[in-house]
């Protein structure tokens, strides 16, 4: 397994050329930032979560995001119906299981979505992905709370699940992308990103933007996470004396300004073959 800068740069250009429509059924805490991140990378966001139109909107989209951040009974039907349409039309679906494991409602909903929808990518924090992998973890709201040894075991467990073609990604201090042929470890980003609501959700939107441009799911996931991490580093460096509010605004700028030269200069990635 090998990811080279030329490939990532070509994918970045592809998103900006094609401007894929990314349909989000997402949470109202981060919806505006997800829309802006999608626009910044070069894709086009749409947010339609009512059952009366969500499946129809999915049919004309290039990718679908399902995000459980502000989960409610009203939108579960929209998620299931839109996911079904996406699967039937071969439209990639990216799942962000926010807070799974924190409550029975979230866990039961995630389990149903996983049963009924074929996901191209599942991205969450370490606790969320460990829960999806079937490990006994205690989630603290939507935060991560695991030890590295447990997470290494999770990678092995996930690789047993990737035969379905789903890519699993856990973002944190070290971001891990797991496929059936191996894993990629990305060490970009800055701890201050954890103090800004929605950085994980924005990362999911970036992944979906690359998927919507026809980039293979593993490479799309690496691209989305790499862009988000590098943008976070640059945003922190340029606003460290101002605070996280300024960093949040600068983060969108850095996503929009991302270039092949910046990727080549700053990307920290290690690929492991299975």
């Amino acid at each position: 397994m090998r990811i080279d800068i030329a490939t990532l740069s070509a994918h970045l250009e592809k998103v900006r050329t094609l401007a894929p429509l990314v349909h989000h059924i997402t949470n109202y805490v981060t919806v505006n930032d997800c829309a802006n991140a999608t626009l910044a990378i070069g894709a086009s966001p749409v947010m339609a979560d009512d059952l009366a139109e969500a499946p129809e909107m999915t049919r004309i989209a290039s990718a679908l995001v399902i995000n459980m951040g502000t989960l409610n009974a009203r939108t579960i039907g929209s998620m299931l119906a839109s996911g079904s349409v996406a699967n039937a039309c071969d439209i990639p679906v990216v799942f962000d299981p926010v807070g799974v494991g924190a409550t029975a409602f979230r866990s039961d909903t995630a389990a149903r979505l996983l049963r009924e929808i074929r996901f191209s990518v599942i991205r969450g924090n370490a606790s969320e992905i460990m829960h999806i992998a079937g490990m006994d973890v205690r989630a603290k709201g939507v935060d991560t709370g695991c030890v590295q040894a447990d997470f290494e075991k999770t990678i092995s467990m996930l690789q047993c699940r990737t035969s379905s073609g789903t890519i699993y990604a856990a973002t944190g201090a070290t971001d891990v992308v797991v496929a059936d042929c191996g894993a990629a470890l990305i060490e970009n980003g800055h701890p201050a990103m954890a103090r800004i609501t929605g950085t994980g959700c924005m990362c999911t939107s970036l992944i979906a933007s690359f998927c919507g441009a026809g980039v293979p799911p593993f490479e799309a996931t690496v691209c989305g996470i790499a862009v988000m991490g590098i943008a976070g580093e640059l945003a922190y460096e340029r606003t460290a004396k101002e605070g996280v509010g300024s960093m949040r605004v600068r983060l969108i700028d850095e996503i929009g300004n991302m270039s092949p030269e910046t990727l080549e200069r700053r990307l920290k990635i290690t690929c492991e073959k299975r």
Side-chain angles (χ1 to χ4, degrees), residues 11-220:
H11 294 334
L12 182 61
E13 182 61 27
K14 191 174 184 181
V15 172
R16 290 169 174 170
T17 299
L18 297 178
L21 181 66
V22 182
H23 179 200
H24 295 67
I25 301 177
T26 187
N27 78 79
Y28 50 73
V29 174
T30 65
V31 63
N32 185 64
D33 288 328
C34 290
N36 281 319
T38 303
L39 285 167
I41 200 62
S44 179
V46 63
M47 281 64 179
D49 65 8
D50 194 282
L51 184 57
E53 70 165 350
E56 184 179 1
M57 188 66 76
T58 297
R59 194 175 297 277
I60 63 171
S62 297
L64 171 66
V65 170
I66 293 179
N67 179 307
M68 296 202 320
T70 49
L71 186 65
N72 63 78
R74 179 184 65 82
T75 57
I76 292 174
S78 300
M79 293 176 177
L80 291 167
S82 295
S84 177
V85 167
N87 286 170
C89 296
D90 202 25
I91 296 166
V93 188
V94 182
F95 182 35
D96 195 331
V98 181
V100 65
T103 66
F105 179 50
R106 287 179 183 271
S107 298
D108 292 346
T109 300
R112 183 177 179 188
L113 292 168
L114 289 165
R115 283 195 309 270
E116 299 188 27
I117 300 172
R118 183 177 69 256
F119 292 105
S120 299
V121 181
I122 300 174
R123 188 223 64 86
N125 66 34
S127 290
E128 291 158 356
I129 296 301
M130 289 170 71
H131 183 92
I132 294 293
M135 295 186 71
D136 183 18
V137 295
R138 177 172 293 180
K140 184 184 73 174
V142 297
D143 296 327
T144 181
C146 71
V147 297
Q148 188 65 31
D150 285 340
F151 193 47
E152 289 172 358
K153 179 180 177 182
T154 303
I155 293 174
S156 297
M157 294 178 67
L158 289 173
Q159 285 180 324
C160 295
R161 291 171 170 249
T162 53
S163 58
S164 65
T166 299
I167 304 301
Y168 294 85
T171 51
T174 297
D175 306 314
V176 182
V177 183
V178 182
D180 58 353
C181 55
L185 281 67
I186 303 168
E187 297 186 89
N188 291 104
H190 191 278
M193 295 172 72
R195 296 167 59 200
I196 300 172
T197 297
T199 52
C201 298
M202 285 186 271
C203 185
T204 298
S205 293
L206 294 181
I207 292 169
S209 297
F210 283 99
C211 285
V215 177
F218 178 78
E219 295 176 16

Side-chain angles (χ1 to χ4, degrees), residues 5 8 186 188 226 230 262-269:
I5 296 298
L8 298 185
I186 303 168
N188 291 104
I230 293 171
T262 301
L263 283 171
E264 183 172 11
R265 186 173 69 252
R266 301 194 69 121
L267 181 62
K268 301 172 187 175
I269 186 170

Side-chain angles (χ1 to χ4, degrees), residues 215-237:
V215 177
F218 178 78
E219 295 176 16
T221 305
V222 169
C223 285
I225 291 174
V227 168
M228 191 69 194
I230 293 171
E233 292 173 357
L234 291 167
Y236 176 78
E237 290 169 11

